[in-house]
Amino acid sequence: MRLAIWNEPTAEFLVSGFLSGAAPSEVEIVRGSRAECERWLRAGLADAALVPALSVLRDTEAFDALPAVALSTWDYPFARLVTREKLDRPIRTLAVDPRYAQEALVARIILSEHYGAEPVLKPYETPAMKEMLAAGEDAALIIGVDAPGLQTPRYAMDLGQEWYELTNYPMVWGLFATRKGEADEPFARTLRDAVAASDEHRDLWLQTRETYPELHSFYLENLRVRLDDLALASLTKFGDYLYFYGVTEETPLLPLIAIADDEQDERRPLL
């Protein structure tokens, strides 16, 4: 089985259980951008992939979501919404990186629902953080490994925390998906157990990484790996917004597959 995973720090944590030997060696891990992982899955070059939740909900006829595991967070230091002025001033334009469509949509929802702003999204192709901050827009969405260390006199908001304050749920950024009708139950269990191993040993994984206190706390406490009731409720709320904002023609239902209980698996840690 070939599993495609984002080449981002949060996704690296999710597969650390595989790399520690907690899962069968026949699972091959390939790393790439979000767009590459989704493209590999669609093309049959990967059997499963971590895919943005937006992609799965927007194309439920193409994907099945695997149960038990997902990438969600209570806050998200890797996505910052930075405004030039305080939020009592109009926000008419928002600079975004089109590679991160879900974050851009979440920012649009937050600005509208929480702050009464309806900015026009201005795409900047593969921008550096300095370019985004120097853009002449009223606000900019800063995403990536440089975002946690952002130092700016401007007003900066954590996108994940803003979603939590709006909905009372963690934001689900990524789902493990397969092509429609091609889910493999043994692999789904293998994935579940490997991610559980990642979760169980996250403190050991953290010891191998250089982080400052804020990121250490994020990885230890606010990065979630379970597709549990809270994550499912968040996806339901997100689906409502997709319909309300015209992203989908109707409220999408998560194409979540079920796997039979494995009676020999006494751990079943994430179910």
Side-chain angles (χ1 to χ4, degrees):
M1 296 290 291
R2 171 175 280 195
L3 175 64
I5 292 288
W6 304 341
N7 52 2
E8 301 177 16
T10 50
E12 179 185 333
F13 164 71
L14 283 178
V15 297
S16 60
F18 282 104
L19 303 179
S20 68
S25 59
E26 60 263 25
V27 176
E28 179 186 0
I29 304 294
V30 293
R31 306 292 298 275
S33 68
R34 300 183 186 194
E36 287 173 328
C37 289
E38 184 173 337
R39 184 167 63 250
W40 293 336
L41 179 60
R42 288 182 182 272
L45 300 177
D47 300 294
L50 186 64
V51 176
L54 174 61
S55 295
V56 176
L57 291 173
R58 194 163 50 183
D59 197 356
T60 57
E61 295 301 315
F63 298 118
D64 282 325
L66 297 179
V69 290
L71 172 60
S72 67
T73 64
W74 292 109
D75 61 17
Y76 197 50
F78 295 100
R80 299 286 184 88
L81 184 59
V82 181
T83 61
R84 288 187 173 276
E85 306 289 345
K86 292 184 179 180
L87 289 169
D88 57 355
R89 305 288 182 87
I91 299 177
R92 300 184 178 89
T93 58
L94 171 64
V96 299
D97 184 337
R99 295 174 298 176
Y100 300 97
Q102 180 167 332
E103 283 84 347
L105 178 58
V106 172
R108 179 186 169 199
I109 293 170
I110 294 300
L111 287 172
S112 176
E113 300 295 324
H114 253 178
Y115 302 104
E118 298 284 351
V120 175
L121 303 188
K122 300 288 188 177
Y124 285 74
E125 298 292 339
T126 60
M129 183 173 70
K130 290 183 179 180
E131 180 184 349
M132 293 289 279
L133 292 174
E137 316 303 342
D138 297 323
L141 188 56
I142 307 299
I143 299 171
V145 294
D146 293 330
L150 176 65
Q151 299 291 330
T152 175
R154 303 174 185 177
Y155 189 79
M157 295 178 283
D158 182 302
L159 204 61
Q161 182 177 343
E162 289 289 327
W163 175 261
Y164 166 66
E165 292 178 0
L166 176 65
T167 67
N168 290 319
Y169 298 123
M171 183 67 221
V172 181
W173 302 107
L175 294 165
F176 288 97
T178 63
R179 290 179 300 282
K180 198 73 175 179
E182 297 185 14
D184 179 276
E185 288 194 17
F187 173 74
R189 296 191 188 97
T190 295
L191 176 64
R192 176 195 66 191
D193 293 347
V195 174
S198 302
D199 193 23
E200 182 179 354
H201 300 294
R202 70 168 69 200
D203 54 339
L204 298 178
W205 179 81
L206 268 173
Q207 293 175 16
T208 67
R209 300 188 60 83
E210 294 183 5
T211 62
Y212 43 86
E214 292 81 4
L215 268 187
H216 188 279
S217 176
F218 165 74
Y219 282 121
L220 194 61
E221 301 173 1
N222 294 330
L223 176 59
R224 308 178 77 253
V225 300
R226 290 170 171 79
L227 186 55
D228 56 8
D229 289 346
L230 288 174
L232 290 171
S234 182
L235 288 167
T236 299
K237 189 68 174 178
F238 191 41
D240 290 339
Y241 281 123
L242 294 185
Y243 171 66
F244 180 79
Y245 281 84
V247 178
T248 57
E249 294 183 355
E250 57 185 15
T251 301
L253 297 177
L254 180 67
L256 183 66
I257 68 162
I259 59 173
D261 290 344
D262 187 346
E263 295 179 358
Q264 295 179 346
D265 181 5
E266 298 179 355
R267 292 175 64 196
R268 296 179 58 208
L270 295 181
L271 294 180

